[in-house]
Amino acid sequence: MPADVLVHLRWHDRKPLRLLSPADLALAVAERLADDGRLRAAIDRTAHQTAHPASVRWRPESLALGYPGLAVLAAELDRRDPDAGWDRPGHRWLSAATGDGDLSSAAPSLFGGWLGVAAAAHLASRDGKRYGALRSRLDEAFAAAVHRLDVAGGRGPHHGAGDDLIDGVTGWIAVLLLRRSSSTVVDELLGILARRLVHLLGADDGRPRLAVPATWLAPDQRVSSPHGYLDLGLAHGLSGMVAALASIRDRGVRVPGLGSAVRHGADLLAAHQEADGHWPRVLPLDRNGRPAGRIAAERPGWCYGTAGVARALWLAGDRDHRLRAERGLRAALTPDSVDRLGSPTVCHGLAGLLLITKTFGPEFQTDTDSLAVRLGEQHRPGTLLGFQDVENTGARVDNPGLLSGAAGVALALLAVDSPTPPPWTGLLLL
């Protein structure tokens, strides 16, 4: 990133106080999160401010909104500057995530369960030199969970709702892909998980196996999708599976049908790109289980919509897919599209779009810089953490988390001047 690209630090009257680099602004947010009093206040405020208390709630073991997300931020700061002391709050947060050491009551999911703790411990390990006992214990539990899936045949019901990045098998793959160097054990586990997704990406007479049935949907969703839908999103649907399988393919793991599954998934995404370059959020199904219609994403960012789909399609790899992906990203970067991202956060806001744009390389550097400035302009130093999530209801939430909170915004700002995507972005399949 050019050295002269800076972001404004603003007060509520919108007058610039001084200029900060994205990294300096990220550090200011991290220092607030490291203040135990501020963090406790943010956790309490989140519970009272959110319009979605059932899903937006602090859980110590949660990567999305818990201590592991903060530990990932500390790990990235420690990676950038090992002498700055960020390993200390990172250790404190990892210890708080594990509690009494028994995570058996938590699910083995990436963003909501103990796999998020495993991911954070790996990122904080300084290339395997730290947290050996914790990582070994979690790795053993992880391998056992994967082998149980293999014994069950690796094939559950024909729907993808339990196989996504946030809570399912795609997220398990993302954890394993953090291990940059290949090993027999890791590749074996990746192969087991890949076989499940390869099966899901098949189709029965044009009916996608990973379609989510109506019985899994909320009542309001059944109104528009009475027969279920095919989710195209990176967080919960087809794009996440395509990105995960493409990454396994590029790693050189041999799985029967893997290349065909990636091509089939990418072709399906390409077939539903619209004339203006965008992708819908989901495709409702007809009574025969085939896609018939579209529902657009309200705020098309990382989790749903055009930018996330574009990244998955680019990872799929052939020339036509990458051209479509770049066209899609340009559509996501139009002023009208960016204006729809009312929150600064990763999941459904500017930080997620910034991270995706950064991965597309020098051709999109001007866009990356512009988004960094725009993200900095959403900084509110008078608030508890400096950044607030803006929910779809308009509620402003002092969320400290990684996916929809201040920790994720800080991580995105740190990525702006990184020459390559930081290791933690693998958790988002970028």
Side-chain angles (χ1 to χ4, degrees), residues 7 22 53 80 90 155 165 201 235 264 267 279 297 318 344-346 351 389 392 394 404:
V7 296
R80 292 168 63 97
R155 300 182 181 187
L165 174 63
L201 261 63
H264 173 70
D267 287 345
W279 278 276
D318 73 24
T345 56
V346 168
D389 183 26
N392 58 354
S404 297

Side-chain angles (χ1 to χ4, degrees), residues 99-408:
D100 60 6
D102 181 14
L103 294 171
S104 59
S105 61
S109 68
L110 175 53
F111 283 95
W114 54 263
L115 277 182
V117 182
H122 174 78
L123 290 167
S125 71
R126 289 191 177 179
D127 295 323
K129 299 180 180 68
R130 294 183 172 184
Y131 304 112
L134 173 63
R135 290 186 293 108
S136 294
R137 178 160 52 88
L138 294 175
D139 284 352
E140 183 178 342
F142 188 16
V146 174
H147 285 295
R148 283 195 298 272
L149 182 74
D150 192 34
V151 168
R155 300 182 181 187
H158 288 179
H159 56 70
D163 296 277
D164 65 358
L165 174 63
I166 299 297
D167 290 314
V169 165
T170 304
W172 297 19
I173 290 172
V175 174
L176 289 169
L177 289 172
L178 291 177
R179 317 293 175 92
R180 296 301 179 93
S181 57
S182 183
S183 76
T184 301
V185 172
V186 171
D187 288 356
E188 177 191 0
L189 297 178
L190 283 170
I192 293 170
L193 298 175
R195 286 198 294 273
R196 178 177 177 88
L197 295 193
V198 166
H199 171 72
L200 280 172
L201 261 63
D204 296 324
D205 299 326
R207 294 172 295 181
R209 288 176 181 157
L210 55 83
V212 181
T215 52
W216 278 58
L217 303 182
D220 61 321
Q221 293 175 311
R222 292 179 201 166
V223 173
S224 57
S225 303
H227 306 293
Y229 60 56
L230 174 62
D231 191 316
L232 298 186
L234 192 60
H236 292 291
L238 175 61
S239 291
M241 297 179 190
V242 169
L245 288 179
S247 298
I248 293 174
R249 176 203 63 193
D250 293 346
R251 190 183 176 99
V253 178
R254 295 179 180 272
V255 177
L258 176 59
S260 296
V262 173
R263 286 192 297 274
H264 173 70
D267 287 345
L268 186 56
L269 290 173
H272 291 284
Q273 187 175 27
E274 297 171 348
D276 62 0
H278 284 285
W279 278 276
R281 176 181 184 271
V282 300
L283 303 175
L285 305 178
D286 63 20
R287 63 178 63 254
N288 297 313
R290 296 181 177 85
R294 61 178 295 279
I295 297 176
E298 292 179 14
R299 297 188 287 178
W302 168 78
C303 56
Y304 280 113
T306 298
V309 179
R311 184 57 186 163
L313 198 58
W314 196 93
L315 289 171
D318 73 24
R319 182 175 182 274
D320 179 63
H321 290 148
R322 290 191 170 184
L323 289 173
R324 284 181 175 274
E326 291 173 0
R327 178 168 167 256
L329 182 61
R330 289 190 180 93
L333 291 169
T334 61
D336 179 63
S337 293
V338 176
D339 286 345
R340 293 167 65 190
L341 299 176
S343 178
T345 56
V346 168
C347 189
H348 48 258
L350 280 171
L353 180 58
L354 169 62
L355 286 165
I356 292 170
T357 305
K358 174 72 177 178
T359 66
F360 274 77
E363 186 178 348
F364 290 89
Q365 185 63 55
T366 299
D367 300 287
T368 300
D369 295 342
S370 176
L371 288 170
V373 171
R374 185 160 179 155
L375 181 58
E377 289 175 345
Q378 292 207 22
H379 181 247
R380 299 292 182 269
T383 60
L384 193 62
L385 301 175
F387 287 95
Q388 293 177 306
D389 183 26
V390 182
E391 296 183 339
N392 58 354
T393 62
R396 288 187 168 272
V397 183
D398 291 300
N399 187 318
L402 188 155
L403 274 190
S404 297

